Amino acid sequence: FDLRRDFPIYLCGMLLGGLYEYLGTSSGEWRYITGEVPPLWIAPLWGLAAVAMVKLAELVREGLRRAVCAVRSAVYKVRRAA
């Protein structure tokens, strides 16, 4: 967890998620059983979701990078042996 890098992502996710929640609930697109527009507990969860999505994307990108390197190495070894 890198606070300098992750906090801006968290803050943007929280603010934008809260804004979208407000727009969606106030316009009647959806509603919560509590009647809140939006519930106060949901905005911080959008921030956590934003950080989690960035971390997952980085994990997938690193996994794909390693897979591509492994395939290139295997192809190189096969070509060299031939």
Side-chain angles (χ1 to χ4, degrees):
F1 183 77
D2 180 11
L3 188 60
R4 286 186 177 187
R5 194 189 69 125
D6 293 341
F7 185 71
I9 296 168
Y10 175 84
L11 192 60
C12 287
M14 186 178 80
L15 294 175
L16 291 174
L19 174 66
Y20 294 146
E21 285 285 337
Y22 174 76
L23 292 174
T25 54
S26 64
S27 67
E29 291 297 320
W30 66 85
R31 63 186 175 93
Y32 291 96
I33 196 165
T34 59
E36 296 171 278
V37 182
L40 293 176
W41 53 266
I42 202 142
L45 296 179
W46 279 107
L48 290 173
V51 173
M53 285 187 280
V54 169
K55 297 281 187 187
L56 181 61
E58 291 171 352
L59 184 66
V60 169
R61 180 176 40 209
E62 179 63 21
L64 289 174
R65 186 192 67 77
R66 288 182 182 196
V68 167
C69 286
V71 168
R72 285 181 180 165
S73 177
V75 168
Y76 176 75
K77 287 178 184 176
V78 168
R79 285 184 179 173
R80 207 164 162 220

